[in-house]
């Protein structure tokens, strides 16, 4: 009798151990029969619990902009789509540099990314001065804190040679004031409403004595962008007001307006043409108190999604503008 009891106890323990070893598929037998399918469904762990990544992929991505246009649309947001290479593999969108046209990019560099931009411009004007060299036109952009926030710092030098008897110094050589600012991505494009960004910036009196403004000068830029034909044609605009000082030390506001038409000739080659207007509001120096108008055209070539080189040329449209300008540069994303 004792022996039969021990055998029964041993078989019971083996049965429990067998059921525990197959807990994940709930296929342990009861009285020699499989559990019904309904019981199997109740004991099986939920697929999402086994794969938490499925839930995380469904979570909403961090916002790229501060605001969103409050209009209904049936179109999906193309900004969330990634380009594909020749093999059909998804790849990151190419960089959107602030150079070489006057309107800056209406987007930020992106959280954790950085862009370095640099260039050179030659300007000629008579009879006020013979020529001016501007370099390195360095701008460093860093995405931090959020997708819509960008920190910016830029530095430039000028070398200007004037005609004798023009009333200006024979030459002006030195560093301009350091420019520090932030860019805020405001909205993404939705139908006819533009992509937009706001730049809040200021210059600090760090430049050479004959070039510096001598005090902090604040400024603001508003950049708008429309993609009219996807990957083919777009329009960008700039409206800005930045503080400066004229040659007699009088502070004024340099108002600027620019509109640029951008055409993608190929996947890597882009052309642009723009109209730029500069209005010195409050300037009293004779050579700096008149508005200037320009037409500028150029090309941008993207060697890859993270690097571009560019060239541009422009002409002045009125007597107070420079006769012409030539420029080149690059932008690299890290």
């Amino acid at each position: 009798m004792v022996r039969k009891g021990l055998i029964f106890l041993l078989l019971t323990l083996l049965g429990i151990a067998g059921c525990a070893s197959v807990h994940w598929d709930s296929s342990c037998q009861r009285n020699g029969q499989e559990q019904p399918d309904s019981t199997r469904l109740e004991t099986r762990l939920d697929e999402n619990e086994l794969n938490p990544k499925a839930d995380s992929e469904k979570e909403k991505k961090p916002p790229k902009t501060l605001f969103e246009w409050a209009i209904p649309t049936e179109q999906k947001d193309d900004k969330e789509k990634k380009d594909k290479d020749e093999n059909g593999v998804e790849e990151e969108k190419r960089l959107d540099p602030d150079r070489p046209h006057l309107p800056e990019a209406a987007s930020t560099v992106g959280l954790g990314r950085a862009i370095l931009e640099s260039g050179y411009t030659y300007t000629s004007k008579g009879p006020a001065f013979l020529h001016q060299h501007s370099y390195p036109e360095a701008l460093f952009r860093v995405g931090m804190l959020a997708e819509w926030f960008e920190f910016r710092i830029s530095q430039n030098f000028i070398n200007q040679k004037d005609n004798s008897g023009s009333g200006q110094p024979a030459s002006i050589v030195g560093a301009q004031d350091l420019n520090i600012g932030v860019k805020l991505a405001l909205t993404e494009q939705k139908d006819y409403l533009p992509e937009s960004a706001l730049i809040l910036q200021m210059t600090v009196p760090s430049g050479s004595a004959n070039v510096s403004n001598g005090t902090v000068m604040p400024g603001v830029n508003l950049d708008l962008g429309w993609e009219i034909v996807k990957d083919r044609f777009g329009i960008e605009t700039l409206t800005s007001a930045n503080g400066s000082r004229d040659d007699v030390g009088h502070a004024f506001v340099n108002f600027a307006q620019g509109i640029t038409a951008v055409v993608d000739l190929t996947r890597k080659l882009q052309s642009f043409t723009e109209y730029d207007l500069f209005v010195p509001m409050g300037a009293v120096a004779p050579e700096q108190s008149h508005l200037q108008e320009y037409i500028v055209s150029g090309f941008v070539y993207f060697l890859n999604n993270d690097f571009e080189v560019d060239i541009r040329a422009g002409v002045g449209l009125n007597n107070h503008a420079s006769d012409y300008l030539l420029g080149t540069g690059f932008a690299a994303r890290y």
Side-chain angles (χ1 to χ4, degrees):
M1 187 71 178
V2 174
R3 181 178 298 176
K4 290 181 179 180
L6 291 174
I7 293 174
F8 177 77
L9 178 61
L10 179 61
L11 291 174
T12 301
L13 293 174
L14 290 175
I16 295 173
C19 286
S21 66
V22 293
H23 171 74
W24 293 102
D25 58 13
S26 304
S27 60
C28 64
Q29 294 181 348
R30 185 177 296 171
N31 296 328
Q33 297 179 354
E34 288 190 353
Q35 295 184 28
D37 290 341
S38 60
T39 305
R40 210 180 285 179
L41 291 173
E42 291 175 358
T43 57
R44 183 177 294 125
L45 291 177
D46 186 79
E47 182 179 353
N48 289 335
E49 293 179 3
L50 291 174
N51 186 19
K53 185 178 180 181
D55 284 338
S56 63
E57 289 177 349
K58 296 179 181 179
E59 294 179 359
K60 188 177 181 180
K61 295 181 179 180
K64 292 184 177 182
T65 59
L66 272 172
F67 307 104
E68 182 177 320
W69 293 116
I71 64 169
T73 179
E74 297 179 356
Q75 297 179 355
K76 294 184 178 180
D77 191 356
D78 290 332
K79 294 294 181 181
E80 295 295 329
K81 297 179 180 179
K82 294 184 177 181
D83 295 331
K84 293 185 178 181
D85 60 18
E86 296 178 355
N87 298 323
V89 179
E90 288 187 350
E91 57 183 1
E92 188 177 24
K93 289 178 67 67
R94 69 188 185 192
L95 80 165
D96 193 4
D98 280 359
R99 61 170 302 111
H101 25 75
L102 183 65
E104 296 104 344
S107 61
T108 51
V109 65
L111 182 63
R113 304 304 300 270
I115 291 181
L116 174 63
E117 305 181 18
S118 184
Y120 163 80
T121 302
Y122 172 81
T123 306
S124 178
K125 181 180 179 180
F129 60 85
L130 290 174
H131 54 256
Q132 182 188 82
H133 304 273
S134 173
Y135 56 89
E137 300 175 352
L139 171 62
F140 188 56
R141 307 164 54 194
V142 183
M144 56 177 62
L145 303 180
E147 288 287 340
W148 48 264
F149 187 89
E150 171 185 304
F151 174 76
R152 307 156 57 84
I153 183 170
S154 62
Q155 179 65 71
N156 191 43
F157 292 78
I158 63 170
N159 185 330
Q160 178 177 313
K161 301 293 184 181
D162 294 313
N163 281 326
S164 59
S166 65
Q168 303 294 323
S171 64
I172 299 176
V173 180
Q176 294 182 306
D177 289 340
L178 192 69
N179 190 307
I180 302 173
V182 297
K183 179 191 283 189
L184 309 176
L186 300 181
T187 61
E188 293 185 277
Q189 182 178 348
K190 182 178 285 188
D191 294 342
Y192 56 87
L193 296 175
E195 181 180 35
S196 61
L198 185 70
I199 298 177
L200 305 175
Q201 60 190 2
M202 65 178 181
T203 60
V204 296
S206 61
S208 303
N210 60 344
V211 178
S212 173
N213 286 318
T215 187
V216 173
M217 288 291 181
V220 59
N221 294 7
L222 175 63
D223 293 285
L224 305 177
W226 291 264
E227 188 176 42
I228 309 300
V229 180
K230 182 173 173 56
D231 297 329
R232 285 297 179 186
F233 177 69
I235 294 177
E236 302 174 358
T237 68
L238 165 73
T239 303
S240 69
N242 291 273
S244 187
R245 286 190 183 274
D246 58 24
D247 292 337
V248 297
H250 186 79
F252 69 97
V253 175
N254 192 11
F255 174 83
Q257 182 72 59
I259 179 169
T260 305
V262 180
V263 179
D264 285 287
L265 302 176
T266 68
R267 185 177 175 84
K268 292 189 174 184
L269 182 62
Q270 185 181 86
S271 68
F272 69 91
T273 299
E274 69 181 20
Y275 167 78
D276 301 329
L277 170 68
F278 300 93
V279 183
M281 303 173 64
V284 297
E287 293 297 327
Q288 296 171 289
S289 59
H290 303 280
L291 64 85
Q292 300 178 22
E293 299 175 279
Y294 295 90
I295 286 290
V296 182
S297 294
F299 296 92
V300 181
Y301 184 76
F302 295 88
L303 278 75
N304 53 52
N305 284 346
D306 294 320
F307 191 85
E308 64 87 359
V309 293
D310 55 74
I311 58 172
R312 69 188 189 281
V315 294
L317 300 181
N318 62 348
N319 293 332
H320 298 285
S322 299
D323 295 336
Y324 65 90
L325 63 90
L326 303 170
T328 185
F330 72 89
R333 181 171 61 185
Y334 304 92

